[in-house]
């Protein structure tokens, strides 16, 4: 759809720095959405890039949904059900999204999965899965469930909420398919930062880790990606380019793309499945045809998938299925040669995407430096053999993770677009695989008066045109309402894939009335502004009628350079961009003066996207404008030259979508509610199962504990009988009603039993803690007493502790000792079945009090200044009056006068009243003294006060 898109995306691609930092605690994720598997990756603060592990600790998850009556299963759980009941498991949804009923891939899907009943959506002409008579699901809704499940896995892995995501899609997805993926993400409640082509994500991941190897010399690399459902060959050019914003930076440019939408590993598995079915029928163990049994065919498909993987490494292998049909076991040997013969026509198609990629890039294999394998199906030896012969290289590159490259490349993009991480620029220039053109008709009058209808075509985006990019088309000869079409260009033999090649019919109204309104102005045509955004979705931004009037120009206009004016085709009717004789045509940028923010886009895209003629014209216009500005600067006081003022008026636009209709807002809301209801049901079911399991476990564990010695000691016979009776009653209730009871009933029953057993559990827990806590208290009392004894032995002249401080510690030691002895004695008198008076939390409180008092004194000792010592007199020297005077003067110079701190300390020493310990001195208040503390003291937290005193003296 070409109206302003509700799926806003952002531009610029960057690579993460090896040591990036987070600006906000917001995680982002990527989803590599394949036809059979999906891989998720996250970036969060502290985790640069990481592949998400699912609940089975696997790095990839099947794209599968199982819809049972009362639950949903995803991933491996859904695949497990597909063998037993394939009707309720939906897979390979990528083959259906955004496609009409008549699409060949829809027809093939019905052929491959006959167990599903597909219905036509009358509104959109698409398909729905019929689940029941009342309920059906669209492929977009099922895909939305898968995306929501992927977000759940990512959130569990990241341990925080995630909403922003970059999703990969095949490069060959058309407009309808891309919009369908965005709709699925919207239903899932995800904010899509960008849809990135999977081949581009792979190329980005490859370039990020080889950033140092990229230079100004172009390096051409081909990525050959064969996955489960399709094959794509992509030619990418790496080189450094100069940008205004960040200087010289590496850039990747998609130069050529070739693809085969149905060539992949899944088609090989189907061939192998049919071969196994043929072998089983030939064994004639059953009169029935196994191909008519859907469950048996699902088992054969699963075995074929395993067999294909094994045959990639072995020349032969045995297929084996227990109870394939009617309790009949199946065994057969399959060789690699047989497998290659079954898929011979598929292997013949391997070189075609390479040729198409070379053709679209206008290159030869000599220009390609290396061919790198991507995708699981490239592990098939025959694929590598045929491809190597086609590309004529010595070897194929395998220096990239074939399964995870796209997910890792996409998560780089997500990190850059989230604006929450530090990144280095890595420019990405993606390319549109399908050309898009504008077609319109206009009546013309010939010289003989005959009126004829002339059809015109204008290429909007060439094949392999870079995007994101904006384009403008001008219609000059229309003076009344008219219609034009936006179509795919020359699709050659691919037209049947799209159904209708016409994308949208655009009907413009209000053109005639606008011309009448501005009849005195000169018309500059009707301008249609197009934008192909970062997700490859084409949007018609706006349509405006342009006019001009004469006025004195007072303001220098801003020239927009991010939109390209589409030139008319050579040899065609010059209906657009046609100017009057002698009047120079002005580029679109010069014709309009609109807000800059509305027009800004990727500057690298804008520079590359300009046609040669348009680029020359823009340069010329810029020079003229600069010249005008300089002239105005020289002649500020002179009258301004006469210029034309530009008048623009929006034209009403009605869009008629011709490819696949988007669901209405009501349909989107209905789908969102449908999925939310299913999610709520799953959460309620999970909560009930959790409550049921908790209650069941509590009953069995508590019944067992009643016979354990430590519980028998603390529970009386009466209490034991009461608890045992209630547990037996609850167990019987579980067998009769519990498994059908509501979550509320289960929680109430669990709460009732916990309340009944609470006192018993408390007594057992306290008795477990007593030995350790009491031993710790005894140790602390002994160490505190030893410390206090050492403090008291310090001579009074060197004492650094006040009487208040020592008495406070002594009081705490005495009170704690008395409390311990009395409480332990009281507890010994009590029966173990009574509520204990000796509580572990009170013991911990006493230990903390002792530690606080001792640590206060230790800290004070560490930072205390030693008292000055008087110099002893020399009795052997002769005493003369002059020498005495001299010595007296010298001694007086060495005396350290008392400071304010020492005076305050002396006052504190004189205090008699006992007070609680205050804050210990800090390092800022007193100089720390150097001391040696034993290892034992460090462990106990108490140092030897005698050793500390000896060092100070």
């Amino acid at each position: 759809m070409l109206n302003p898109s509700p799926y806003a995306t952002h531009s610029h691609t960057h690579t993460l720095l090896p040591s990036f930092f987070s600006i906000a605690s917001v995680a982002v994720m990527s989803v590599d959405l394949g036809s059979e598997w999906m891989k998720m990756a996250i970036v969060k603060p502290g985790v640069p890039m990481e592949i998400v592990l699912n609940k089975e600790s696997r790095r990839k998850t099947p794209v599968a949904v199982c819809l049972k009556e009362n639950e949903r299963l995803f991933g491996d759980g859904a695949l497990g059900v597909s063998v037993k009941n394939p009707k309720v498991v939906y897979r390979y949804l990528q083959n259906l999204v955004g496609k009409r009923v008549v699409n060949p891939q829809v027809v093939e899907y019905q052929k491959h999965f006959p167990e599903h009943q597909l219905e036509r959506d009358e509104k959109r002409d698409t398909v729905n899965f019929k689940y029941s008579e009342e309920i059906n699901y669209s492929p977009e809704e099922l895909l939305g469930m898968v995306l929501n499940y992927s977000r759940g896995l990512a959130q569990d892995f990241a341990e925080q909420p995630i909403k922003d995501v970059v999703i990969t899609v095949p490069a060959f997805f058309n407009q309808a398919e891309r919009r369908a993926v965005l709709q699925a993400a919207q239903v899932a409640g995800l904010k899509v930062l960008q849809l990135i082509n999977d081949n581009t994500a792979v190329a980005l991941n490859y370039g990020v880790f080889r950033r140092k190897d990229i230079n100004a010399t172009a390096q051409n690399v081909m990525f050959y990606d064969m996955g489960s459902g399709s094959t794509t060959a992509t030619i990418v050019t790496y080189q450094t380019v100069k940008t205004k914003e960040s200087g010289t930076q590496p850039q990747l440019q998609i130069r050529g793309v070739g693809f085969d939408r149905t060539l992949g590993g899944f088609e090989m598995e189907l061939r192998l499945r049919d071969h196994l079915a043929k072998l089983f029928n030939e064994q004639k163990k059953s009169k029935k045809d196994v191909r008519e049994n859907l469950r048996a065919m699902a088992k054969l498909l699963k075995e074929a998938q395993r067999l294909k993987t094994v045959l990639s490494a072995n020349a032969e292998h045995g297929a084996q299925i227990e109870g394939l049909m009617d309790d009949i076991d199946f065994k057969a040997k399959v060789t690699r040669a047989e497998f290659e013969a079954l898929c011979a026509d598929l292997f013949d198609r391997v070189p075609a995407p390479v040729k198409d990629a070379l053709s679209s890039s206008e290159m030869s294999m000599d220009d390609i430096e290396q061919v790198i394998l991507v995708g699981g199906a490239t592990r098939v030896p025959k694929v590598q053999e045929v491809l190597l012969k086609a590309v004529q290289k010595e070897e194929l590159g395998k220096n990239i993770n074939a399964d995870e490259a796209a997910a890792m490349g996409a998560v780089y993009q997500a990190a850059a677009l989230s604006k929450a991480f530090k990144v280095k620029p890595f420019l990405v220039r993606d390319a549109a695989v399908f050309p898009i053109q504008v077609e319109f008709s206009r009546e013309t009058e010939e010289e003989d008066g005959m009126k004829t209808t002339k059809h015109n075509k204008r290429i909007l985006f060439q094949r392999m045109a870079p995007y994101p990019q904006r384009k403008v088309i001008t219609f000059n000869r229309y003076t009344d309402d008219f219609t034009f079409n936006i179509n795919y260009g020359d699709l050659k033999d691919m037209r049947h894939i799209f159904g209708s090649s016409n994308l949208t019919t655009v009907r413009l109204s209000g053109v005639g009335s606008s011309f009448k309104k501005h009849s005195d102005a000169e018309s500059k045509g009707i301008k249609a502004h197009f934008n192909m955004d970062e997700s490859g979705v084409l949007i018609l931004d706006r349509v405006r009628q342009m006019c001009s009037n004469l006025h004195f120009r007072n303001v220098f206009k801003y020239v927009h350079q991010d939109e390209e004016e589409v030139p008319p085709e050579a040899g065609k009717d010059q209906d657009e961009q046609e100017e009057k004789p002698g009047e120079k045509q002005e580029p679109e940028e010069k014709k309009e003066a609109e807000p800059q923010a509305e027009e800004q886009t990727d500057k690298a895209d804008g520079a590359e996207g300009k046609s040669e003629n348009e680029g020359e014209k823009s340069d010329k216009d810029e020079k003229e404008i600069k010249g005008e500005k300089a002239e105005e600067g020289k002649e500020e006081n002179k009258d301004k030259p006469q210029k034309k003022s530009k008048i623009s008026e929006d034209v009403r636009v009605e869009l008629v979508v011709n490819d696949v209709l988007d669901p209405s807002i009501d349909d989107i809301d209905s789908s969102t509610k449908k999925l939310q209801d299913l999610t709520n049901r799953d959460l309620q079911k999970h909560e009930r199962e959790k409550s049921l399991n908790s209650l069941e476990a509590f009953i069995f564990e508590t019944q067992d504990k009643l016979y354990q010695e430590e519980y028998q000691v603390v529970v009386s016979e009466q209490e034991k009988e009461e608890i045992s009776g209630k547990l037996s009653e609850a167990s019987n209730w579980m067998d009769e009603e519990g498994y059908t009871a509501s979550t509320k009933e289960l929680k109430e029953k669990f709460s009732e039993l916990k309340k009944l057993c609470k006192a018993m559990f408390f007594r057992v827990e306290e008795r477990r803690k007593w030995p350790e806590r009491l031993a710790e208290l005894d140790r602390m009392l002994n160490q505190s007493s030893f410390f206090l004894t050492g403090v008291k032995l310090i001579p009074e002249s060197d004492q650094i502790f006040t009487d208040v401080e020592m008495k406070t510690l002594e009081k705490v030691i005495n009170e704690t000792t008395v409390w311990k002895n009395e409480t332990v004695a009281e507890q010994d008198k009590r029966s173990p079945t009574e509520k204990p008076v000796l509580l572990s939390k009170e013991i911990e409180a006493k230990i903390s009090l002792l530690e606080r008092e001792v640590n206060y004194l230790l800290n004070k000792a560490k930072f205390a200044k030693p008292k000055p010592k008087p110099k002893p007199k020399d009795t052997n020297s002769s005493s003369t009056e002059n020498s005495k005077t001299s010595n007296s003067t010298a001694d007086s110079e060495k005396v350290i006068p008392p400071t304010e701190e020492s005076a305050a300390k002396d006052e504190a020493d004189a205090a008699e009243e006992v007070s609680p310990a205050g804050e210990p001195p800090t390092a800022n208040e007193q100089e720390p003294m150097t001391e040696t503390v034993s290892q034992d003291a460090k462990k106990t937290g108490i140092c030897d006060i005698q050793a500390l005193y000896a060092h100070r003296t």
Side-chain angles (χ1 to χ4, degrees), residues 492-536:
K492 297 181 181 179
D493 57 346
M494 294 185 291
R495 194 174 299 276
H496 67 284
I497 297 176
F498 294 87
S500 171
S501 62
N502 181 238
L503 282 169
T504 306
T505 298
V506 182
R507 296 172 180 169
L508 304 181
S509 58
V511 176
S513 60
S514 178
F515 267 97
K516 291 178 181 178
K517 180 179 178 182
H518 304 289
S519 57
D520 57 337
E522 180 185 2
S523 173
K524 292 297 182 181
I526 308 297
K527 294 184 179 294
H529 297 250
F530 297 90
N531 174 28
M532 184 171 284
D533 66 10
E534 294 82 355
S535 297

Side-chain angles (χ1 to χ4, degrees), residues 175-320:
Q175 294 293 307
E177 290 166 319
R178 291 174 187 272
R179 297 199 308 270
V181 175
L182 290 172
Q183 291 153 15
Q186 184 182 13
V187 168
L190 287 167
K191 178 185 176 183
V192 180
L193 300 176
Q194 181 182 342
L195 295 182
I196 185 171
N197 293 336
D198 50 14
N199 57 348
T200 306
V202 170
L204 177 58
N205 179 65
Y206 181 84
V208 160
F209 292 102
R210 291 159 182 82
R211 184 185 184 94
K212 295 180 180 179
D213 300 331
I214 301 173
N215 50 46
T217 303
Q219 306 172 40
N220 300 319
V221 179
M222 175 181 287
F223 296 94
Y224 191 88
D225 182 2
M226 181 180 287
S228 176
S230 61
T231 300
T232 306
T234 308
I235 297 176
V236 182
T237 298
Y238 294 95
Q239 67 182 131
T240 55
V241 296
K242 291 184 178 180
T243 61
K244 294 181 180 179
E245 295 82 4
S246 51
T248 301
Q249 299 296 342
Q251 172 185 273
L252 72 85
Q253 181 175 358
I254 306 298
R255 300 293 300 276
V257 176
F259 60 89
D260 189 328
R261 292 186 73 129
T262 58
L263 176 61
F266 180 58
E267 189 64 32
M268 300 177 193
E269 293 161 2
L270 291 174
R271 302 282 180 93
L272 203 50
R273 179 199 66 176
D274 295 340
H275 177 66
L276 294 178
K278 180 183 176 184
L279 292 178
F280 179 80
N281 287 336
E282 289 175 351
Q283 293 176 359
K284 296 185 178 181
K285 294 182 178 180
S286 174
K287 296 180 180 179
K288 299 178 182 178
D289 188 348
V290 70
R291 290 172 292 190
E292 295 177 359
N293 189 313
L294 298 178
R295 185 174 178 180
M297 291 300 285
K299 291 181 179 180
L300 287 173
L301 179 59
K302 183 178 180 180
E303 181 65 10
Q305 292 170 335
R306 186 187 70 86
L307 200 59
K308 186 197 75 172
T309 303
V310 175
L311 287 176
S312 296
N314 298 275
E316 63 178 37
H317 190 68
Q320 182 175 351

Side-chain angles (χ1 to χ4, degrees), residues 548-612:
S548 65
N549 272 331
L550 293 178
H551 82 302
F552 286 97
R553 182 167 183 169
N554 294 318
V555 181
F556 175 66
K557 284 185 178 289
Y558 172 78
V559 178
H560 296 286
Q561 298 182 21
D562 63 334
E563 290 187 331
E564 179 184 346
E565 186 81 35
V566 178
E569 292 185 5
K572 299 289 183 181
D573 179 29
Q574 303 296 311
D575 186 56
E576 283 72 39
Q577 300 294 93
E578 190 172 271
E579 299 291 332
K580 295 181 180 180
E583 181 179 342
K584 185 174 73 174
Q585 180 184 345
E586 293 182 276
E588 166 61 17
E589 295 87 348
K590 199 170 178 182
K591 292 184 180 181
E592 292 185 64
E594 297 171 320
Q596 180 177 357
E598 204 177 54
E599 303 285 69
Q600 287 292 40
T601 186
D602 194 325
K603 301 212 171 178
D605 293 337
E608 180 96 6
K610 283 185 177 295
S611 63
E612 184 177 352

Side-chain angles (χ1 to χ4, degrees), residues 637-653:
N637 298 325
K638 296 184 178 181
D639 291 337
K640 305 299 180 185
Q642 197 176 38
K643 296 293 179 182
K644 295 180 179 180
S645 86
K646 304 301 184 292
I647 301 172
S648 66
E649 183 170 333
D650 288 339
V651 175
R652 290 190 298 274
V653 178

Side-chain angles (χ1 to χ4, degrees), residues 454-490:
K454 196 163 188 176
H455 297 281
N456 297 277
K457 294 182 180 180
R458 297 281 300 284
I459 300 298
L460 194 59
F461 291 96
Q462 297 275 5
R463 188 181 182 195
M464 305 313 300
Y467 72 83
Q469 188 177 176
R470 297 175 183 271
K471 292 290 186 74
V472 179
I473 288 185
T474 305
F475 302 91
N476 277 324
R477 293 192 173 181
Y478 287 97
T479 58
D480 207 344
D481 299 352
F482 65 99
T483 299
F484 64 89
N485 294 315
I486 302 165
N487 303 333
Y488 288 112
D490 184 15

